[in-house]
Amino acid sequence: MDSGLYFLCILVLSLSIGPLCNCQTGPSITQPKLISIIPINSTALTVNWAFAATSIDQSDLIRIYIVFYEFFYSYNATYASNNYTFTSANKTITSLTKNFDLVNAYYYVCFSSNSTVTNVSVFLSIVNICTLTRTCLRSNAACPGPSSVTVLASSISSNSFTISYFWPIDLPYSLNSIKAQLINNGQIGASTGSTQNTTYTIQSYQFTGLQPLTTYTVNASFSYSILTMAAQTNTTILSVTTSYSSKLSYTRDLISFCF
């Protein structure tokens, strides 16, 4: 073999082997995984989780914490944390069914855990995995889940249209901000005010000075949060075509907060 080629092979081999040695030398450790949160009836939920196979997870002490935050319109409550401690030989519990007093209420469920290996400096902790869910209807005939936010384009004319956000009043998220902007020219919708009925809080934004028979793309976004969790932003894209003279029918988009 040519000496230059031999040197190149040795160099490449040493570079490829190097990172492989930078690995965990202690026991293998993983955390339990949240599988599902299922409404059982109008007043109960079941939380399901799973442990890693023993061939993968060698942790000998695992703790799980499950907290339920209850919301029903303006009412809210926090239930005491449900805590579990498992050993490597005792991982038999993989679900929790929780019963509540309120019917068809919202629940923000947070699942967290940590795993350790005794006498070894190996510790794995995960941040909360939280999700919003809802128990079934009073009749138990259906479990529709959380209400949906509707973003709707209406009052479409030859030179203007309106984007409205229909925010369900029973949804426990806090609405932090709303923005509607045309991608075509950067125009930001002007607020036309807010109204409320028994189901929604409606906030509308109008675009004016537009061209007839032209398709505009709207970036419709809003920021929301719950409890002390960091704010999140939801963005949906709508296409709206102005009319020649008369008004057109509306278009809409649904944003769901289902698990």
Side-chain angles (χ1 to χ4, degrees):
M1 180 183 293
D2 183 82
S3 59
L5 181 59
Y6 178 76
F7 173 76
L8 177 62
C9 291
I10 294 297
L11 178 61
V12 171
L13 182 62
S14 64
L15 291 176
S16 63
I17 290 177
L20 296 179
C21 297
N22 185 21
C23 55
Q24 180 178 316
T25 58
S28 177
I29 185 169
T30 64
Q31 73 275 3
K33 181 181 179 181
L34 177 64
I35 301 299
S36 62
I37 302 174
I38 302 173
I40 302 301
N41 53 44
S42 62
T43 59
L45 297 169
T46 293
V47 181
N48 298 293
W49 62 89
F51 297 98
T54 54
S55 59
I56 300 174
D57 184 15
Q58 299 175 30
S59 55
D60 52 18
L61 188 63
I62 301 172
R63 294 182 177 90
I64 290 178
Y65 312 93
I66 305 173
V67 180
F68 296 87
Y69 300 93
E70 184 176 57
F71 299 90
F72 191 77
Y73 291 91
S74 60
Y75 171 83
N76 63 80
T78 302
Y79 286 80
S81 175
N82 294 265
N83 303 329
Y84 297 92
T85 300
F86 302 93
T87 63
S88 58
N90 178 27
K91 299 178 182 178
T92 56
I93 301 176
T94 56
S95 68
L96 164 67
T97 296
K98 185 76 171 179
N99 293 288
F100 308 98
D101 294 328
L102 298 181
V103 173
N104 193 218
Y106 282 94
Y107 295 91
Y108 194 59
V109 185
C110 292
F111 179 96
S112 62
S113 68
N114 63 59
S115 303
T116 58
V117 177
T118 306
N119 298 325
V120 179
S121 58
V122 178
F123 175 87
L124 178 63
S125 178
I126 61 172
V127 296
N128 280 355
I129 298 175
C130 298
T131 187
L132 183 69
T133 187
R134 193 179 193 179
T135 52
C136 304
L137 300 177
R138 180 180 293 275
S139 64
N140 292 321
C143 306
S147 299
S148 299
V149 177
T150 301
V151 181
L152 180 152
S154 62
S155 302
I156 303 172
S157 69
S158 60
N159 62 359
S160 67
F161 62 82
T162 297
I163 297 293
S164 297
Y165 296 76
F166 289 71
W167 187 271
I169 60 175
D170 64 351
L171 199 62
Y173 286 116
S174 297
L175 180 59
N176 299 327
S177 63
I178 290 179
K179 184 178 182 180
Q181 183 173 18
L182 296 183
I183 295 178
N184 308 62
N185 57 19
Q187 181 183 161
I188 296 176
S191 175
T192 60
S194 176
T195 60
Q196 189 174 37
N197 56 32
T198 57
T199 307
Y200 297 100
T201 295
I202 307 165
Q203 298 194 40
S204 300
Y205 297 81
Q206 186 179 46
F207 295 95
T208 59
L210 308 178
Q211 298 298 315
L213 293 177
T214 302
T215 298
Y216 291 90
T217 304
V218 185
N219 185 323
S221 64
F222 57 87
S223 172
Y224 62 95
S225 59
I226 188 169
L227 301 176
T228 58
M229 305 302 174
Q232 300 182 61
T233 299
N234 185 289
T235 300
T236 187
I237 304 297
L238 296 177
S239 292
V240 183
T241 302
T242 53
S243 65
Y244 179 73
S245 60
S246 60
K247 292 182 179 180
L248 298 176
S249 60
Y250 63 78
T251 59
R252 66 179 178 178
D253 203 2
L254 295 177
I255 298 111
S256 300
F257 291 101
C258 300
F259 173 68

